[in-house]
Amino acid sequence: MSERTIIPFGPQHPVLPEPIHLDLVVEDEKVIEAIPSIGFIHRGLERLVEKKDYVDYVYVAERICGICSFIHGLTYCMAIEELMKVQVPDRAQYLRIIWSELSRIHSHLLWLGLTADSFGFESMFMQSWRLREQILDIIEETTGGRVIFGSAKIGGVRRDISSVKMDEIMKKMNVYRKDIAQLCEQFMKDQTVKHRMQGVGLLSRADAISLGAVGPMLRGSGIAQDIRSTGYSGYDRIGFTPVTETAGDCYARCMVRMREMDASFVMIEQCVGKMTDGPIEVKVTGNPAGEFFMRSEQPRGEAIYYAKANGTKFLSRLRVRTPTFANIPPLLATLAGCQLADVPVIVLTIDPCISCAER
Amino acid sequence: MGMLSRSPWVIHYDGSSCNGCDIEVLAALMPRFDVERFGVVNTGNPKHADILLLTGSINEQNKPVVLNIYNQMPEPKVVLAVGICATSGGIFRECYNVLGGVDKVLPVDVYVPGCAVRPESIIDAVVKGVGILEEKRAAFKAAGKA
């Protein structure tokens, strides 16, 4: 038997822009075990509810993560709206879906670039980020921000999109959809990509359930669970079926995300078709009371917000369970037994967002 | 020294930011902004780097990591605090696990505000950083260390 060595991976590592630390126990080139240590980005923002009132906290919730910022803000708003029994106008709900799906597209493009980069496919990295910039342009035109949108608020949304602007955007989106589909095809048909991903990082259906995987990690193992199918924020009014793949390897997880991007374009189109003129917000008065669990589907999987309010303007407790945190146990299970060179690829197929996970 | 000023190598470390600024740092490398055309390279090795680009605030756990990266960089070196969290703690300054901006542990040369910071500001900051690097290098030479 060969000797065991421990190789530290991170926190400062060229593959990931964010710090996560894994101690990889290796025997020759084979990883026996991965031991994570997290907490490098812990800020403790759940306790900020004691210092910022429930309206101001929307801004903090958006800054839990800089990629799915809008959906974080939205989930928090929805939790408070449920507590306060606020009915959000239809137009606001459709606008929320549009921005959520735009976030999903840009997040998946970002992930595609980083994944390609993890095995040295630099030109794909550049191409997918080039397309991502175009999606960010649309976001910037409609919300004013590239990263933090600031357009979700309790009781609706802050900004409207005029019908002229919407037509303009849809014309552009049709072009982008074709570009992205072409890019995905190039990536998925590439022999080298298949070689690096097929059969690597296997997560079986049973393991995915017992280890509590969420999002594309779960759907890549053949389980059709997507929180959007619960119909929050008007998702019940647009046609939607969760995307699944059955192989459970890195390639399947990539495939799920590729197909989700296309599905997001379809959803945005449906929203634009169904949107009618109307108010975009309702006035919210009073303070929340009671407790509520809100679930939403982020690009990385299911996020859970637990809010407990006591009738004052400060919440008494807020708990956030983010998708990356849930995906760490399945990640460790898939890392055991893989080759050392496959570690970055496997880590990236869970689409890690460490700032989400550690808050 | 002219050679170095035309191609500063940057090392990026995420303190405890929300990820927004980090993604914008990467976006600055992309075809739209493409800092590599100026010779700016994002390196993973502190021993190759001239500029330390820090996003996010400082906490007890990442303090030794940040200091370790800084101490491994060769002189002269420049520190950029990118994003409002790195300059002061920003929206998270009241959090129990946030000590404050990068200047709590390192001498910061350029402060870049913004939440999230725009890629244009990052490029601007790197250009400013190169100027400071040049000055430091001159002082370094005058002191007879190089």
Side-chain angles (χ1 to χ4, degrees), chain B residues 2-19:
Chain B
M3 258 162 74
L4 190 60
S5 74
R6 279 196 290 273
S7 60
W9 283 26
V10 176
I11 184 166
H12 163 228
Y13 183 75
D14 171 3
S16 63
S17 82
C18 74
N19 206 348

Side-chain angles (χ1 to χ4, degrees), chain A residues 250-307:
Chain A
C250 289
Y251 193 77
R253 298 198 271 276
C254 292
M255 205 65 192
V256 168
R257 293 200 177 91
M258 304 273 179
R259 287 172 53 201
E260 272 185 9
M261 272 196 268
D262 207 53
S264 294
F265 278 107
V266 177
M267 278 190 215
I268 293 174
E269 221 169 77
Q270 284 182 327
C271 282
V272 174
K274 288 188 177 172
M275 237 157 78
T276 48
D277 283 341
I280 56 161
E281 56 174 310
V282 287
K283 203 168 158 40
V284 178
T285 48
N287 292 323
E291 52 186 337
F292 193 74
F293 264 106
M294 186 70 219
R295 302 156 80 197
S296 72
E297 186 73 18
Q298 289 187 341
R300 287 160 187 74
E302 177 191 358
I304 301 173
Y305 271 64
Y306 166 73

Side-chain angles (χ1 to χ4, degrees), chain A residues 220-254:
Chain A
S221 297
I223 300 150
Q225 194 205 58
D226 192 317
I227 308 304
R228 283 176 286 173
S229 49
T230 60
Y232 70 86
S233 182
Y235 273 108
D236 48 351
R237 270 170 277 166
I238 56 175
F240 169 73
T241 40
V243 175
T244 55
E245 290 284 329
T246 49
D249 56 2
C250 289
Y251 193 77
R253 298 198 271 276
C254 292

Side-chain angles (χ1 to χ4, degrees), chain A residues 26 44 51 66 72 90 181 188 190 198 200 266 273 275 314 345-346:
Chain A
V26 293
K51 289 174 183 156
H72 269 296
D90 283 357
M188 298 315 280
D190 192 290
Q198 279 178 341
V200 174
V266 177
M275 237 157 78
F314 297 99
V345 182
I346 297 174

Side-chain angles (χ1 to χ4, degrees), chain A residues 9 12-18 114 117-119 344-345 347-348, chain B residues 26:
Chain A
F9 179 91
Q12 191 264 328
H13 193 275
V15 169
L16 291 167
E18 291 181 284
L114 291 178
D117 180 54
S118 74
F119 48 81
V345 182
V347 170
L348 274 159
Chain B
L26 286 186

Side-chain angles (χ1 to χ4, degrees), chain A residues 39 42-43 63 66 137 146, chain B residues 18 24 32 61 96-97 115:
Chain A
H42 179 64
R43 285 152 280 171
R63 283 162 177 84
D137 281 348
R146 276 165 60 89
Chain B
C18 74
E24 294 295 64
R32 162 97 40 110
Q61 195 168 0
Y96 60 82
N97 200 34
C115 180

Side-chain angles (χ1 to χ4, degrees), chain A residues 133-145:
Chain A
E133 284 292 331
Q134 297 174 333
I135 303 290
L136 286 187
D137 281 348
I138 294 181
I139 292 172
E140 195 176 354
E141 279 169 28
T142 52
T143 68

